[in-house]
Amino acid sequence: MADPLDAPLSSAQRSKIRRLSQPKEPEAGEEAGELNVVPYLDIIMNILIFVLASVSVTFVSSIDTTPPSIGGGKVRSELSSKALNLSAFITSQGISLKTSSGNIATGCQDVGSGVTVPKTGNDSHDFPALTACAKRLKGARPEFKEETQVTITANPGIDYKTIIDVMDALRSDAGEELFPEVHFGVAR
């Protein structure tokens, strides 16, 4: 008896074998190749470099101050009536100082009216004169030696740098502390 495997193939069978043996394009999802992640990594690196290049670095500094209590009356009520109670008013003409005795006159010599430390000829504030005046006021009486508080008030339009320079001028003089505790007042 003849072996069925040795039988000649029909034309339909030969056609099917030819069709199956021909290379064909795989359908979507059938491809078993590797995933190419290089383009994705290029995009991520470009975005990362752009973000790092566009980040701006800022340096923040802070100034330690003691804010007045709510209502403002509590800080003043705790001070004795014999205290200096120094206040500095920054105006466009200069800096006026006021104590519990009254306004300090021009030149820091006596109690009276006027701008205590007027602007200099080149239209800038005279911070060394302000420091000298504060030092003189602190040394006027023995009980003023313990004073550490000053209230600074600025008129509208006074720039921030001027306020900081006034604060620095009133805080210390060549290492000697004058008025390190700064409070801010409100100009009306």
Side-chain angles (χ1 to χ4, degrees), residues 30-176:
E30 287 185 4
E31 188 172 297
E34 295 180 12
L35 180 62
N36 189 3
V37 295
V38 173
Y40 299 114
L41 291 177
D42 286 343
I43 292 171
I44 299 288
M45 287 304 295
N46 285 334
I47 290 173
L48 184 65
I49 289 171
F50 176 74
V51 168
L52 288 176
S54 63
V55 170
S56 63
V57 178
T58 58
F59 297 98
V60 178
S61 62
S62 63
I63 298 171
D64 294 329
T65 62
T66 306
S69 63
I70 295 175
K74 191 172 186 180
V75 173
R76 292 287 181 196
S77 66
E78 292 175 0
L79 297 175
S80 68
S81 61
K82 294 182 180 179
L84 182 62
N85 296 333
L86 182 64
S87 296
F89 299 94
I90 308 169
T91 66
S92 58
Q93 291 84 29
I95 303 163
S96 294
L97 296 177
K98 182 178 180 178
T99 65
S100 56
S101 301
N103 292 334
I104 305 300
T106 304
C108 196
Q109 300 298 324
D110 198 8
V111 176
S113 62
V115 177
T116 308
V117 183
K119 282 188 168 182
T120 59
N122 59 358
D123 201 38
S124 64
H125 289 86
D126 191 0
F127 300 115
L130 177 63
T131 303
C133 185
K135 190 173 184 177
R136 181 178 185 174
L137 290 172
K138 188 163 183 149
R141 287 195 200 158
E143 59 264 19
F144 294 165
K145 295 272 188 217
E146 300 300 317
E147 287 277 336
T148 58
Q149 296 182 3
V150 62
T151 302
I152 297 175
T153 304
N155 281 355
I158 301 298
D159 60 301
Y160 183 71
K161 182 179 180 342
T162 303
I163 296 170
I164 299 302
D165 289 341
V166 167
M167 190 180 347
D168 289 341
L170 291 173
R171 278 186 163 180
S172 64
D173 177 38
E176 178 187 350

